[in-house]
Amino acid sequence: MGPEVLAFAQVAVIVVLLAGTLSAITVGLVRGVSIKPKPPGISDAHSQQLEQLQQSVDAIAVEVERIAEAQRFSAKLLAERADPAIAAGSSSRTNNADEIALKARAAQS
């Protein structure tokens, strides 16, 4: 074998190895790009935390409603103390509404 044949063989081996390496790198990159990362699923720990958070928010909502009801009641008591006619007026309004309803029923009959 002459030196020209050995040089050709070395170049051929280098070209084949280079082509194989570049092919492997290309295949790896294409697969890596084509595979989309999956979103992480909700684990049991996260679902338990979400459930606990929901229960806490519900409990806070109930307490806020109680506070609002107490505030309405206090405002009503203060208004009745300031002007006793308001308390009497509210009962007379109820009586007037009852009288109107009775008159409406009588007119329908």
Side-chain angles (χ1 to χ4, degrees):
M1 279 203 207
E4 296 169 349
V5 175
L6 284 176
F8 180 76
Q10 289 175 347
V11 170
V13 169
I14 290 173
V15 168
V16 169
L17 289 176
L18 184 61
T21 304
L22 289 176
S23 296
I25 290 172
T26 304
V27 167
L29 288 175
V30 168
R31 285 185 183 170
V33 170
S34 66
I35 297 174
K36 295 179 182 176
K38 296 179 182 177
I42 296 177
S43 66
D44 280 344
H46 287 122
S47 64
Q48 288 175 351
Q49 288 176 347
L50 285 174
E51 186 175 335
Q52 184 180 8
L53 180 63
Q54 183 178 1
Q55 290 173 356
S56 298
V57 169
D58 290 342
I60 291 170
V62 168
E63 291 301 321
V64 167
E65 183 61 32
R66 287 181 185 169
I67 291 169
E69 184 64 32
Q71 186 177 7
R72 284 190 293 269
F73 181 73
S74 298
K76 181 181 174 186
L77 286 179
L78 288 173
E80 288 175 356
R81 284 184 189 169
D83 190 8
I86 293 175
S90 65
S91 64
S92 67
R93 278 190 226 134
T94 305
N95 291 338
N96 289 339
D98 290 339
E99 289 174 11
I100 292 170
L102 288 174
K103 287 179 184 179
R105 287 184 192 151
Q108 289 176 354
S109 301

